[in-house]
Amino acid sequence: MMKPALASAAIASIALAPFLGIAAASAADGDAVANLEPVALNGVHASGTAMVEVNGTRIDVTMAASGLLPDNPHAAHIHFGADARHECPTAGEDTDGSGTLTTTEGGPAYGPVVVALTKTGDTSPDSTLAVDRYDTAPGGKLTYERGSIQVSEEVAQAIVDGQAVVVIHGVDYNGDGKYDGDAKSDLDPKLPTEATDPAICGVLSAAPDGGADTGMGGTAQGNGNNALYFLGGGLLVAAVGAGAASRRTGRDKP
């Protein structure tokens, strides 16, 4: 005969099971991929790929891109807004008629910054313009990998649901190889608009079963593979190493 204490525990477990199941199901989990393409009007000839692994409220991000302005900082963010269209901006967003798109003009399409993809330190929107902590794209090629970024439940769910957008900023309208010009940034008047205008953009969508197409006849595998392959404008990056391996190993454990 079951002891009263054990019986009570069993009954409690049965009673709580539906609620525990709901809680578990509500935790965001999955992989999302974005193909990064030039933002309309801004004259950028770059491309790239971003992958975000979501595990609850933790995300791991890998990006590769080529064709960016070389050797200059490129702010990169995940954008999301509940009222946004969850897409990249079009030429119709040029509300001031300047012939280019600013970050603010793109806001209705992709929403505000929710994650700053800095190399070190803070990743909150407070670091949106922390230009000293972003990748400088040596030779025009950007590679980025950072794990264990903490986000809100809303942001994690938006990534899994295909409502978040990756934007890499930084353009060179006059082709002189640096950020300058008379036009000032709509985000910080101390910076030229070239430093903050959006360059390439892509909507994060659920990675297909079996991995994401790399464009090279192969796939970037999901859970269980320690190598992620990205094709970004001709740049193939293998995101491997102890960091990536350890994060995946930890995630795959029951």
Side-chain angles (χ1 to χ4, degrees), residues 50-67:
M51 174 175 275
V52 180
E53 301 175 48
V54 181
N55 185 10
T57 56
R58 189 199 79 196
I59 63 172
D60 303 331
V61 181
T62 308
M63 291 191 299
S66 64

Side-chain angles (χ1 to χ4, degrees), residues 113-128:
V113 171
V114 291
V115 181
L117 298 175
T118 55
K119 295 187 297 181
T120 61
D122 176 60
T123 57
S124 78
D126 291 340
S127 292
T128 294

Side-chain angles (χ1 to χ4, degrees), residues 15 46 77 99 145 149 157 169 182 188 209:
H77 313 115
E145 182 182 3
I149 299 173
Q157 194 62 53
H169 302 259
D182 294 333
D188 183 348
D209 292 340

Side-chain angles (χ1 to χ4, degrees), residues 55-134:
N55 185 10
T57 56
R58 189 199 79 196
I59 63 172
D60 303 331
V61 181
T62 308
M63 291 191 299
S66 64
L68 296 166
L69 176 63
D71 307 310
N72 282 268
H74 289 273
H77 313 115
I78 298 176
H79 291 251
F80 166 71
D83 297 329
R85 300 197 307 273
H86 316 308
E87 62 186 25
C88 293
T90 66
E93 255 80 50
D94 180 22
T95 56
D96 65 2
S98 65
T100 61
L101 291 180
T102 66
T103 296
T104 299
E105 287 176 324
Y110 45 60
V113 171
V114 291
V115 181
L117 298 175
T118 55
K119 295 187 297 181
T120 61
D122 176 60
T123 57
S124 78
D126 291 340
S127 292
T128 294
L129 295 179
V131 292
D132 59 325
R133 290 190 283 116
Y134 288 105

Side-chain angles (χ1 to χ4, degrees), residues 27-31 52-61 146-153 155-157 159-160 223 243-244 246-252:
D29 190 19
D31 294 346
V52 180
E53 301 175 48
V54 181
N55 185 10
T57 56
R58 189 199 79 196
I59 63 172
D60 303 331
V61 181
R146 187 167 181 182
S148 299
I149 299 173
Q150 294 298 314
V151 298
S152 68
E153 291 182 2
V155 169
Q157 194 62 53
I159 294 171
V160 171
N223 294 346
S246 63
R247 288 200 307 274
R248 284 192 167 278
T249 301
R251 181 177 167 182
D252 292 340

